[in-house]
Amino acid sequence: MVASVSATLRTRGLGLSALLALPIAVVGCCSLGTKDVPTLLQNEDELTEDFGFGPGPSMVAAIGKAAGWPLIFTKAETTTAGQLGAYHQRGEGSAAAGTMSSVTGSGTAIPALTGTPDKSCAVRVRVTTAGSNLAATPVVQISLDGGLTWLAAGAVTASATPQAIGSTGLLLAFTDGTFVLNDYWTAQGANCPTDADATGASVPAFTGTPRDAFDVRVAVTRSATTAGDGTGAVRYSLDGGTTYAPEQPVPTSRAVVLGDSGITVTFSAASLVDGDEYYIKTSAPVFTAAAMAASLTALRGVSVADHEGIVIAGAIDATYFDEITTAHDALIAASKPRYIIGHARGQAAAIYGETAAQWASALLGATPGFSGANANMVLVAAGECTKKDGLHGDAVLRRSVLFDVAARLAAIDVAEHPGRVRSGPLDIETLLHDLADSTLVSLDTQGFIGAQSIVGVEGFYATRRTRAAAGSDFDSIMRVRVMCFACRAALARMVEEVNESIPVNANGTIRADVADGIDASVTSYMTRELGRRVSSVSVQVSRTADLVSTSTLPFKVRVVPLGYSEAITLDLGYTLARSA
């Protein structure tokens, strides 16, 4: 016999967890890449090189900053590209209501703006209910950003009597004529309503496809007799003036690229005046429910890496929720339980006529609200905040609180409450919707996750609700995450029992001594894997299954969850120490 020496490498000798933390997967729109291809990304450079910019990459970057890499991203097909609103302006000129343009369409009614505006805006008025004249009660809808969004109050009956437009200080009246469906009028450019019209003669033209929802300002910082003559300069902001990019000269082409926003502003060959500002709002690219569903399907069979949960970077409603539930059920059926978290739409700004209470009521209502939309491992974030976006020069953008809630979930252990005070507040600038507020607390009680203030500590902290139905064991994200973790641990251990030879009794059931041994072994493993994530765990193999006839060995795993001190009560008072 040939002499030899061999070595056996033992696993689990140190008792270390067999389960490493899994990355988060993100689905969203972006400016580059191939749709529905899950990709494992190691850093932010890979992210922007492969997928460019957009709500999806911004979400990935926020999570990567808080929790580290790698992360998984899947591009959802953009079905509606980002849109540019109409521009408006301000400067040293006088406040004026502006003149409405000629109709775009065939109607003969003539609108007129009056009043003194209290802020600059780009008015668009469109016909939503036609009428042969004013007596036929035609209805119009009004936008203050050039048609990106419309007054939440919705229908406005056209009238010869001036009607106030939100809180802008503007009034709208009509000279009688015909109103044709979808006809519209605008007040923008040199005649736009503004609190102080720009005095430079150069007219900016904004072009391109916005990569996100921006509140753009372009400020002239150096005057020029003619734009492009080498003397003029501007700087731009993507967040309504909170932060500005460095000054840059207006080139001979007169076209200024606004960073990575996807937007270019080109000035006409006329004067620029220091102090003039030009405003425009944009919308983000969006996906349909079907496009989102395709990305979720792609993630279900992903081979690049397993992942713990899926974050949807884009507003969803009940229609989207149906598709998410389908994906949720398919994952559970495939023994791949994962939480899926998206976010509801934001509140229309106060100028558009929707209060926080009205916004909350809409989310709590029926379709497109979420009344009756329930699934054990699905979460919907409600509320907005402002936060720095690292992909756009730290611009402080209005975002769903999901950006920070998802980042916190990715950064903490599965059993930790995302609002744990000792872990510190969320990384947001300003919370626009505090779920601790009396007008919004119903969002928490009705199954929305969000952010809140806590008396006695600064900053804002995550809440924990899921969309599980009332009475479910999965009403908190911690229980969802722990159960998903437990499932992975159980599967990892029980796969070792596949095709094992098992002694049985005369009736085909497992022998008691063998069952006791398996119970002890698996319970020990599960206890070690779950550790302090649960209060206790027990495992029991079936003693009644006919293993000979069915070749199936059922196991029952039961976990006692942790408790969480969400409400602290204090009993305070004075007392006098008395001697005996």
Side-chain angles (χ1 to χ4, degrees), residues 200-202 220 222-233 250 270-274:
S202 183
V220 179
R222 282 186 281 158
S223 299
T225 302
T226 303
D229 66 6
T231 61
V250 178
S271 62
L272 293 172
V273 175
D274 183 9

Side-chain angles (χ1 to χ4, degrees), residues 74-328:
T74 302
K75 175 180 180 175
E77 180 182 13
T78 295
T79 46
T80 301
Q83 303 294 311
L84 290 163
Y87 87 88
H88 45 107
Q89 61 196 25
R90 64 172 293 174
E92 298 301 322
S94 301
T99 302
M100 298 297 288
S101 69
S102 298
V103 67
T104 299
S106 58
T108 59
I110 301 174
L113 285 173
T114 56
T116 302
D118 66 347
K119 55 177 61 69
S120 60
C121 50
V123 174
R124 176 172 290 206
V125 178
R126 71 180 178 188
V127 178
T128 55
T129 301
S132 58
N133 52 34
L134 288 172
T137 62
V139 176
V140 298
Q141 201 170 26
I142 301 169
S143 170
L144 301 175
D145 55 19
L148 279 182
T149 57
W150 300 86
L151 286 171
V156 176
T157 301
S159 173
T161 303
Q163 305 291 312
I165 299 178
S167 60
T168 64
L170 293 168
L171 299 101
L172 175 67
F174 282 90
T175 298
D176 208 354
T178 58
F179 292 78
V180 178
L181 184 64
N182 294 324
D183 277 5
Y184 67 88
W185 303 262
T186 59
Q188 59 190 62
N191 294 319
C192 74
T194 173
D195 53 355
D197 274 335
T199 51
S202 183
V203 177
F206 290 86
T207 57
T209 303
R211 293 169 174 169
D212 216 319
F214 301 119
D215 186 356
V216 178
R217 293 190 181 189
V218 177
V220 179
T221 54
R222 282 186 281 158
S223 299
T225 302
T226 303
D229 66 6
T231 61
V234 299
R235 60 178 185 158
Y236 72 88
S237 170
L238 299 178
D239 55 19
T242 302
T243 61
Y244 278 90
E247 179 186 81
Q248 57 190 104
V250 178
T252 55
S253 66
R254 305 189 303 280
V256 179
V257 177
L258 306 187
D260 295 311
S261 67
I263 306 167
T264 297
V265 58
T266 303
F267 293 93
S268 65
S271 62
L272 293 172
V273 175
D274 183 9
D276 283 354
E277 292 183 336
Y278 304 93
Y279 305 162
I280 191 170
K281 289 188 176 181
T282 73
S283 63
V286 297
F287 47 75
T288 61
M292 176 201 69
S295 293
L296 293 177
T297 298
L299 272 170
R300 187 165 70 245
V302 66
S303 59
V304 295
D306 195 6
H307 49 285
E308 188 209 350
I310 302 170
V311 179
I312 299 170
I316 62 172
D317 59 20
T319 302
Y320 290 77
F321 194 91
D322 290 342
E323 296 286 0
I324 293 171
T325 300
T326 297
H328 161 272

Side-chain angles (χ1 to χ4, degrees), residues 314-348:
I316 62 172
D317 59 20
T319 302
Y320 290 77
F321 194 91
D322 290 342
E323 296 286 0
I324 293 171
T325 300
T326 297
H328 161 272
D329 294 346
L331 285 168
I332 292 176
S335 299
K336 296 180 178 180
R338 299 167 184 156
Y339 69 84
I340 304 175
I341 182 169
H343 69 86
R345 72 165 177 89
Q347 176 196 353

